């Protein structure tokens, strides 16, 4: 009798647990299929068919669910060398996904699959420090809720997608350390919300479009590319740009005519073909590098930067360089 009663209790507990499972059945099946497409890595050993992917204590690694709807809202997988595969197209079958982070997965390869275009609720998309390649897809411009886009440190090639300008909520655009070529699209002058734009360490070229002067960037990094011409539209005393890095390009303009944003704390224009005098307020910039240009004139008295900030210019003088004659 005791044995029968115990078995009944066990049976009822299993029935109760199955009814109380939070994880959406279809999304759970999709996650298990994604695990299979990832070649069942040990990183995802907690993804088991007999456990609840949304359980607050027994949650699956890297998975977060909405507290009310229990739909999967976040996938965050990072720092694993054994996860070796392409990005599973089935990720596109998680329609409530708001955050997708694939970070520091050096054996993740292949392009961004077209099926990810269905993730129209994405707010944060990070595919960074992987070996993902191919072009940056234009369908990213469909993610109207996207706030942060980080595709840095990969093997992306081709041109910058003009469609990113459709994402009016973007505050962070990180596309550095890839193999991107061509100019910055004119449409990037439509960005709002004081974005951070990082395009460094690519093979981008051409002139900076005048339209970018309409954007009040929080920070901008165009360094280590092949840009040329006059980027002075990026400056302005009323802008809120705290960091400007234009170093290691072919820029040529009179920097003495620009007005530095009052809050700029970092300015690097080194290794270009920039000429003229130092702009007003240069001594107030905390981190400064104007070396390897063709600048002339006297460094402001009381300036506290070291010689490396001004080294190898045409005729700059005054402390920390030799005094003016």
């Amino acid at each position: 009798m005791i044995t029968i009663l115990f078995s009944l209790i066990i049976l009822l507990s299993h029935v109760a647990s199955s009814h109380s499972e939070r994880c959406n059945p279809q999304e759970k099946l999709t996650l298990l299929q994604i695990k299979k497409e990832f070649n069942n890595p040990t990183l995802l050993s907690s993804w088991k068919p007999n456990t609840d992917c949304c359980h607050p204590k027994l949650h699956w690694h890297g998975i977060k669910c909405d507290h009310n709807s229990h739909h999967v809202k976040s996938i965050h997988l990072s720092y694993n060398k054994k996860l070796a595969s392409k990005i599973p197209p089935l990720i596109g079958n998680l329609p409530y996904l708001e955050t997708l982070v694939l970070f520091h997965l050096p054996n993740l390869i292949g392009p961004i699959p077209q099926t990810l275009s269905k993730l129209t609720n994405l707010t944060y998309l990070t595919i960074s420090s992987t070996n993902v390649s191919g072009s940056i897809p234009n369908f990213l411009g469909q993610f109207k809720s996207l706030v942060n886009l980080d595709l840095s440190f990969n093997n992306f090639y081709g041109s910058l997608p003009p469609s990113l300008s459709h994402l009016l909520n973007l505050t962070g655009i990180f596309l550095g350390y890839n193999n991107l070529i061509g100019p910055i699209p004119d449409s990037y002058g439509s960005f709002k919300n004081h974005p951070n734009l990082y395009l460094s360490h690519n093979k981008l070229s051409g002139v900076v479009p005048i339209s970018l002067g309409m954007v009040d960037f929080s920070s901008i990094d165009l360094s280590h590319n092949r840009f040329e011409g006059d980027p002075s539209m990026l400056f302005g005393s009323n802008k809120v740009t705290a960091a400007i890095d234009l170093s290691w390009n072919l820029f040529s303009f009179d920097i003495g005519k620009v007005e530095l944003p009052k809050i700029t704390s970092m300015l690097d224009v080194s290794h270009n073909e920039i000429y003229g005098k130092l702009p007003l307020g240069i001594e107030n910039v905390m981190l400064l590098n104007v070396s390897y240009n063709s600048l002339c004139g006297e460094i402001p008295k009381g300036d506290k930067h070291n010689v490396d900030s001004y080294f190898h210019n045409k005729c700059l003088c005054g402390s920390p360089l030799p005094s003016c004659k």
Side-chain angles (χ1 to χ4, degrees):
M1 182 65 179
I2 295 176
T3 303
I4 295 174
L5 182 60
F6 180 75
S7 298
L8 182 60
I9 292 172
I10 294 296
L11 177 62
L12 289 174
S13 67
H14 279 295
V15 171
S17 63
S18 65
H19 283 294
S20 63
E21 183 168 335
R22 297 170 174 84
C23 192
N24 178 279
Q26 185 58 49
E27 292 177 9
K28 180 177 182 177
L29 178 61
T30 298
L31 288 173
L32 291 172
Q33 292 172 325
I34 288 171
K35 176 184 177 181
K36 185 177 181 180
E37 289 190 13
F38 271 136
N39 298 316
N40 297 307
T42 54
L43 178 68
L44 305 183
S45 60
S46 60
W47 295 22
K48 299 177 180 178
N50 61 341
T51 59
D52 185 350
C53 73
C54 293
H55 195 284
K57 294 183 180 179
L58 304 174
H59 64 84
W60 292 11
H61 176 79
I63 299 298
K64 288 185 179 179
C65 300
D66 185 88
H67 292 302
N68 297 315
S69 68
H70 305 304
H71 287 297
V72 175
K73 70 174 185 179
S74 175
I75 296 179
H76 189 135
L77 305 176
S78 58
Y79 293 104
N80 191 277
K81 294 182 179 180
K82 296 183 179 180
L83 196 155
S85 75
K86 297 181 179 180
I87 298 174
L90 282 171
I91 292 177
N93 291 345
L94 297 170
Y96 299 92
L97 203 65
E98 297 175 6
T99 299
L100 176 59
V101 176
L102 303 173
F103 178 66
H104 214 286
L105 304 172
N107 291 311
L108 190 67
I109 60 173
I112 296 178
Q114 176 68 32
T115 54
L116 263 62
S117 63
K118 296 186 288 184
L119 301 178
T120 54
N121 290 308
L122 274 184
T123 305
Y124 297 93
L125 175 59
T126 295
I127 302 173
S128 177
S129 299
T130 73
N131 271 301
V132 172
S133 58
S135 59
I136 298 177
N138 258 312
F139 68 67
L140 296 182
Q142 301 173 24
F143 299 161
K144 303 301 183 183
S145 299
L146 201 65
V147 171
N148 193 84
L149 174 65
D150 186 351
L151 300 180
S152 60
F153 293 93
N154 293 298
N155 289 317
F156 289 115
Y157 53 80
S159 57
L160 294 168
S163 63
L164 293 186
S165 62
H166 300 159
L167 306 178
L168 301 183
N169 293 314
L170 271 180
T171 59
I173 308 112
F174 303 92
L175 305 178
Y177 292 87
N178 282 289
N179 295 301
L180 301 172
I181 62 171
I184 298 174
D186 287 339
S187 61
Y188 282 20
S190 300
F191 288 130
K192 308 295 182 184
N193 296 327
H194 307 302
N196 298 285
L197 179 63
Y198 285 78
L199 303 177
S200 69
H201 292 82
N202 278 289
K203 299 173 183 177
L204 298 168
S205 59
V207 299
V208 176
I210 295 176
S211 62
L212 259 63
M214 303 296 293
V215 185
D216 200 353
F217 293 101
S218 290
S219 60
I220 184 166
D221 187 349
L222 306 181
S223 65
H224 292 266
N225 280 289
R226 299 168 183 173
F227 291 119
E228 58 187 4
D230 183 356
S232 58
M233 77 290 292
L234 301 175
F235 297 85
S237 60
N238 294 322
K239 293 194 173 186
V240 297
T241 313
I244 302 173
D245 193 343
L246 307 178
S247 62
W248 292 92
N249 279 287
L250 301 170
F251 288 126
S252 179
F253 67 106
D254 186 347
I255 197 172
K257 294 182 179 180
V258 307
E259 294 182 343
L260 297 178
K262 291 182 175 63
I263 70 166
T264 297
S265 58
M266 182 274 186
L267 175 64
D268 190 345
V269 295
S270 63
H271 294 87
N272 278 287
E273 299 170 6
I274 299 170
Y275 56 89
K277 297 181 179 180
L278 294 171
L280 292 174
I282 196 80
E283 68 276 11
N284 299 322
V285 177
M286 186 178 301
L287 300 174
L288 176 69
N289 192 347
V290 298
S291 63
Y292 289 90
N293 281 292
S294 298
L295 300 175
C296 278
E298 185 174 4
I299 296 170
K301 289 180 171 59
D303 184 276
K304 295 182 180 179
H305 298 108
N306 62 33
V307 67
D308 294 335
S309 295
Y310 298 110
F311 184 71
H312 209 287
N313 271 285
K314 185 177 180 181
C315 48
L316 279 181
C317 59
S319 179
L321 297 179
S323 61
C324 300
K325 297 181 179 179

